[in-house]
């Protein structure tokens, strides 16, 4: 059986960290069903929002449960193509998209509009996660 894999966007991780424990978060549900990754871009974004040592530890704990995908020369090439094709999109979003495309992995995000229309990028909505 092939392992199902998914890249988790920072909005899903932030929701997990900020949500009151009224049930399993989208992140917890995704981790039950998929081998989860995130990107170095998402990790940096999350760490930049952590305003205390407690926040930083919570972010480290959440990120420690998944592999962090980085940037390499192939990702840089995908990013350059995306930057030319979508010059008005935020650079961070294009980097995340480039990493997902290079890794051939879908992106779980509640911010579908930020990534819509990017060719070959598969998006997964939070409601699709059991």
């Amino acid at each position: 059986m092939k392992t199902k894999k998914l890249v988790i966007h920072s909005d899903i991780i932030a929701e997990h960290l900020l949500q009151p424990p009224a049930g399993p978060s989208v992140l917890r549900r995704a981790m039950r069903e998929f081998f989860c990754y995130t990107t170095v871009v998402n990790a940096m974004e999350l760490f930049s929002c952590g305003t205390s040592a407690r926040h930083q530890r919570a972010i480290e704990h959440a990120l420690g449960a998944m592999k962090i995908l980085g940037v390499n020369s192939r990702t840089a090439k995908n990013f350059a193509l995306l930057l030319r094709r979508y010059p008005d999109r935020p650079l961070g979003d294009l980097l995340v998209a480039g990493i997902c495309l290079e890794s051939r992995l879908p992106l779980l995000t509640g911010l579908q509009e930020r990534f819509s229309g990017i060719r070959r990028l598969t998006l997964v909505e939070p409601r699709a996660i059991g």
Side-chain angles (χ1 to χ4, degrees):
M1 184 169 145
K2 190 173 183 179
T3 304
K4 297 190 306 185
K5 300 175 183 178
L6 195 59
V7 175
I8 310 294
H9 193 261
S10 53
D11 68 305
I12 301 297
I13 300 167
E15 178 263 340
H16 168 77
L17 294 170
L18 299 172
Q19 168 182 309
S25 65
V26 173
L27 177 61
R28 285 203 191 278
R29 294 192 320 262
M31 293 182 95
R32 281 191 216 137
E33 190 176 341
F34 297 89
F35 186 89
C36 294
Y37 300 83
T38 194
T39 71
V40 67
V41 176
N42 296 127
M44 289 186 300
E45 181 179 26
L46 289 164
F47 280 122
S48 74
C49 296
T51 57
S52 70
R54 188 174 135 264
H55 292 154
Q56 294 292 318
R57 283 191 305 275
I59 293 164
E60 285 175 9
H61 180 61
L63 294 176
M66 61 190 84
K67 184 164 176 64
I68 298 177
L69 301 171
V71 178
N72 59 38
S73 61
R74 291 186 313 245
T75 309
K77 184 177 178 182
N78 276 331
F79 172 68
L81 293 170
L82 291 170
L83 190 56
R84 281 197 300 273
R85 193 172 290 144
Y86 309 102
D88 296 330
R89 302 252 184 148
L91 296 179
D93 290 351
L94 294 177
L95 274 169
V96 169
I99 292 168
C100 290
L101 289 169
E102 177 57 36
S103 303
R104 295 185 177 129
L105 295 173
L107 176 65
L108 171 62
T109 182
L111 303 173
Q112 303 275 315
E113 68 283 353
R114 287 173 51 179
F115 298 94
S116 67
I118 295 179
R119 291 189 337 209
R120 300 180 303 129
L121 179 62
T122 302
L123 299 174
V124 178
E125 296 183 21
R127 65 184 170 156
I129 302 299

